Amino acid sequence: MPPDYPRLSFRIGGSIGSENENALRRALVDENHDPRLALALLLNVVYGIRVHRIAALKLTDLSVSGGAARIQLGSVGLDLPPVATSWVEIILSGKIDKRRFGGAAHDNTWIFPGYQHGSHQLASSLAARLKNLGAKPAVAHQASSAAIITQVPPAVTARILGISITTAAHWHKLTGDAPAMR
């Protein structure tokens, strides 16, 4: 029988950490920041979206209407803060190219194109890029998820975070909220 290994438990509450706050703050004010990475930081740090879901986002998941940016996460649409509108416009304009060996530089499918045509960037590569900016994606996801859990019903939490409704309801129960009352 294989040895049991310790699992990380989900902690309710906590801080997103000064590293994540500083990385996000730099992304918000530095105009030379890659807009894709700034969007990834925003989605991870503020909305608690896991890096593997961010890496798999398609250009069709983004839109700008009436001067407001929006992202579609499965069946849930999120209105992004005004600061993200310019990032989304740049991403959708196609000004960001990915240099690849022996192929077209521009990808018309993925926000984070991979090195292989037709595939998105690996989540581990995106996480490493976010870490190079000073962020800690796992810590940000956990703290942001805890905040979301206490503010929205379990069904919406499940869709935003990409977890099962049963798990979301269990987490709501751990916070002392009564999801049935929402």
Side-chain angles (χ1 to χ4, degrees), residues 102-180:
H106 188 67
D107 185 291
N108 294 321
T109 306
W110 307 102
I111 295 172
F112 297 95
Y115 290 105
Q116 208 172 21
H117 290 284
S119 65
H120 60 77
Q121 188 173 71
L122 295 174
S124 58
S125 296
L126 180 56
R129 292 177 72 191
L130 294 176
K131 287 176 185 175
N132 284 340
L133 296 175
K136 293 186 175 180
V139 172
H141 162 73
Q142 193 162 18
S144 299
S145 298
I148 290 169
I149 289 164
T150 61
Q151 297 174 22
V152 297
V156 177
T157 299
R159 289 184 183 142
I160 291 172
L161 299 179
I163 58 176
S164 73
I165 293 176
T166 305
T167 300
H170 176 69
W171 288 352
H172 274 272
K173 186 177 175 182
L174 289 174
T175 66
D177 286 349

Side-chain angles (χ1 to χ4, degrees), residues 9-149:
S9 61
F10 189 84
R11 292 174 293 133
I12 301 297
S15 167
I16 63 171
S18 61
E19 299 92 349
N20 291 318
E21 287 179 31
N22 292 334
L24 183 60
R25 189 171 285 115
R26 282 190 303 273
L28 293 173
V29 298
D30 185 0
E31 292 180 10
N32 296 323
H33 229 329
D34 180 344
R36 295 175 303 164
L37 291 178
L39 179 64
L41 276 169
L42 177 76
L43 293 173
N44 180 248
V45 173
V46 175
Y47 294 101
I49 299 168
R50 291 181 186 264
V51 175
H52 74 273
R53 288 190 73 200
I54 297 170
L57 288 171
K58 296 182 176 185
L59 291 169
T60 55
D61 295 328
L62 293 176
S63 64
V64 177
S65 177
R70 186 170 178 80
I71 189 162
Q72 194 69 31
L73 298 167
S75 61
V76 175
L78 290 176
D79 293 326
L80 297 173
V83 71
T85 302
S86 62
W87 303 337
V88 172
E89 287 173 340
I90 292 170
I91 293 167
L92 292 176
S93 73
K95 292 180 183 173
I96 301 169
D97 292 335
K98 177 83 171 179
R99 295 287 171 219
R100 296 189 178 121
F101 181 73
H106 188 67
D107 185 291
N108 294 321
T109 306
W110 307 102
I111 295 172
F112 297 95
Y115 290 105
Q116 208 172 21
H117 290 284
S119 65
H120 60 77
Q121 188 173 71
L122 295 174
S124 58
S125 296
L126 180 56
R129 292 177 72 191
L130 294 176
K131 287 176 185 175
N132 284 340
L133 296 175
K136 293 186 175 180
V139 172
H141 162 73
Q142 193 162 18
S144 299
S145 298
I148 290 169
I149 289 164

